[in-house]
Amino acid sequence: KVYGCRDIFPIFPSRNELLLHLKTYNIYYEGQNLQLRHREEEGELIVEGLLNISWGLRRPIRLQMQDDNQRIRPPPSSSSWHSGCNLGAHGSVLKPSTLPDIQVTDTEAVPNREAPRSGTKSQAEETPQLMRTRSDVGVRHRGSARTPSEQRRIRRHRFSINGHFYNHKTSVFTPAYGSITNVRINSTMTTPQVLKLLLNKFKIENSAEEFALYIVHTSGEKQKLRGSDYPLIARILQGPCEQVSKVFLMEKDQVEEVTYDVAQYIKFEMPILRSFIQKLEEEEDREVKKLMHKYSILRLMIEQRLEEISEGPTAM
């Protein structure tokens, strides 16, 4: 059994065809972390790896103030605390030695890339369950400013959207259009599952029902992935080159699908498009005249026959 996308690809790919596409995909990304792996599980071919998704939102999104089911409890001691503290499940303060060793890229140095990232195999994308620091909203400041080390520790525990970390003043914002993030998925995950995983990774409060995944081609063609589609397989079958097509996260009610036939005309200049319309109108006029002439002849023949029938009994 091979998972695929029947809505986008009418001809369902065979196992060998999918493996051939996968081989081409991995050759294109040779030496990069976007290479995909495949395995057999109970007779089923399963592909897994990172999927690049571009932000294509027109409206702002809302980031959660704190993790789900996370309670704010006072520390055991009477000393002051702030949002830089890392609390355990029962309110105990974790030692710095318990923090995972993850390299953090300075958001100011790389404004248009997702942070944190690491060149090692154990990348931050694979650990969305990392402890995250509480927001400034749920904590009362005691007048002490954070040190640089505390600020780095806070950023380390929350994924950013292209350098944007949670801030109670900017918790509602719109990601830069076309900027890229990624999620680790497999070929058995459907579109709704991938959407929920992506929103949960960045702790976005908006419902997954508000969004959809689209395959957007440079030609202007836009194909919406249905709920029964498998985004990773769709990406493999489209090919690895993102200069040809990309997977976009967009609002359902803000985007209309564009077919291949319509996309052919999107890139043309207005004078050329007007000339196309003029020719189509001329062709339409010719067809209308042909139909009018055809039915005029039929009408005359019917009227002539009716006259012959009406004159027949009189002549007798």
Side-chain angles (χ1 to χ4, degrees):
K1 181 180 177 180
V2 177
Y3 294 95
C5 303
R6 294 183 184 272
D7 292 334
I8 293 181
F9 303 96
I11 302 177
F12 195 69
S14 67
R15 177 192 182 90
N16 291 335
E17 288 174 338
L18 181 61
L19 288 174
L20 184 61
H21 282 285
L22 181 59
K23 182 179 179 181
T24 303
Y25 192 97
N26 284 336
I27 290 174
Y28 184 87
Y29 286 115
E30 185 174 2
Q32 302 181 40
N33 61 356
L34 289 174
Q35 280 191 317
L36 304 175
R37 296 176 294 178
H38 70 279
R39 55 186 168 85
E40 293 268 349
E41 189 172 301
E42 298 180 355
E44 296 178 353
L45 177 64
I46 298 178
V47 185
E48 56 187 3
L50 291 174
L51 173 67
N52 275 352
I53 299 177
S54 300
W55 297 98
L57 305 180
R58 300 296 185 184
R59 291 195 298 256
I61 56 175
R62 301 182 305 275
L63 301 183
Q64 293 180 7
M65 185 179 72
Q66 60 189 46
D67 290 340
D68 298 333
N69 302 323
Q70 188 181 38
R71 297 180 180 179
I72 299 179
R73 297 186 179 184
S77 64
S78 60
S79 60
S80 63
W81 62 293
H82 51 75
S83 60
C85 295
N86 299 299
L87 302 184
H90 301 289
S92 59
V93 180
L94 300 179
K95 297 180 179 180
S97 59
T98 62
L99 298 176
D101 184 14
I102 296 178
Q103 183 177 353
V104 180
T105 303
D106 189 359
T107 58
E108 295 181 359
V110 188
N112 293 323
R113 294 185 63 86
E114 181 186 356
R117 286 185 182 269
S118 173
T120 61
K121 293 183 179 179
S122 58
Q123 298 193 15
E125 291 83 1
E126 302 180 35
T127 56
Q129 73 280 7
L130 289 178
M131 291 181 56
R132 292 165 51 254
T133 304
R134 288 185 175 80
S135 157
D136 293 345
V137 175
V139 183
R140 181 178 298 176
H141 289 281
R142 299 298 178 89
S144 58
R146 297 190 185 96
T147 64
S149 61
E150 289 173 341
Q151 293 176 357
R152 287 193 298 270
R153 185 174 59 201
I154 292 171
R155 289 201 300 265
R156 184 181 294 122
H157 291 286
R158 186 160 197 166
F159 286 97
S160 75
I161 299 179
N162 310 109
H164 181 100
F165 288 90
Y166 180 88
N167 183 296
H168 70 281
K169 295 181 180 179
T170 61
S171 61
V172 178
F173 82 109
T174 306
Y177 190 90
S179 55
I180 298 175
T181 184
N182 54 47
V183 285
R184 183 166 294 278
I185 62 173
N186 62 51
S187 57
T188 66
M189 297 178 68
T190 60
T191 304
Q193 291 173 323
V194 174
L195 284 170
K196 290 179 181 177
L197 181 64
L198 177 62
L199 299 184
N200 183 66
K201 175 179 178 179
F202 297 104
K203 301 303 177 185
I204 297 174
E205 286 187 349
N206 302 64
S207 171
E209 297 296 326
E210 300 178 25
F211 308 106
L213 293 178
Y214 291 82
I215 294 181
V216 180
H217 299 257
T218 52
S219 63
E221 181 183 0
K222 293 179 183 177
Q223 298 170 302
K224 180 181 177 181
L225 291 178
R226 311 302 183 218
S228 58
D229 289 336
Y230 303 91
L232 188 58
I233 297 298
R235 173 75 268 181
I236 295 172
L237 296 179
Q238 287 287 338
C241 183
E242 295 193 351
Q243 294 180 353
V244 176
S245 63
K246 294 182 179 181
V247 179
F248 267 83
L249 174 71
M250 296 178 168
E251 295 97 339
K252 283 183 178 179
D253 59 350
Q254 293 289 310
V255 182
E256 293 185 5
E257 291 188 80
V258 179
T259 63
Y260 173 76
D261 294 333
V262 175
Q264 296 181 71
Y265 298 99
I266 291 178
K267 301 289 184 179
F268 288 110
E269 300 291 336
M270 286 303 297
I272 298 177
L273 291 175
R274 289 194 186 97
S275 66
F276 287 157
I277 293 174
Q278 183 179 355
K279 289 182 179 180
L280 289 173
E281 289 177 346
E282 292 173 356
E283 185 177 351
E284 182 182 8
D285 291 338
R286 286 195 297 269
E287 292 298 323
V288 169
K289 289 178 180 179
K290 286 181 181 179
L291 288 173
M292 291 179 66
H293 180 68
K294 175 182 176 181
Y295 286 104
S296 296
I297 295 175
L298 288 174
R299 182 177 179 178
L300 290 174
M301 293 174 63
I302 292 171
E303 290 177 349
Q304 184 178 0
R305 180 58 181 163
L306 289 173
E307 290 178 1
E308 292 175 354
I309 293 174
S310 62
E311 292 175 357
T314 305
M316 293 176 63

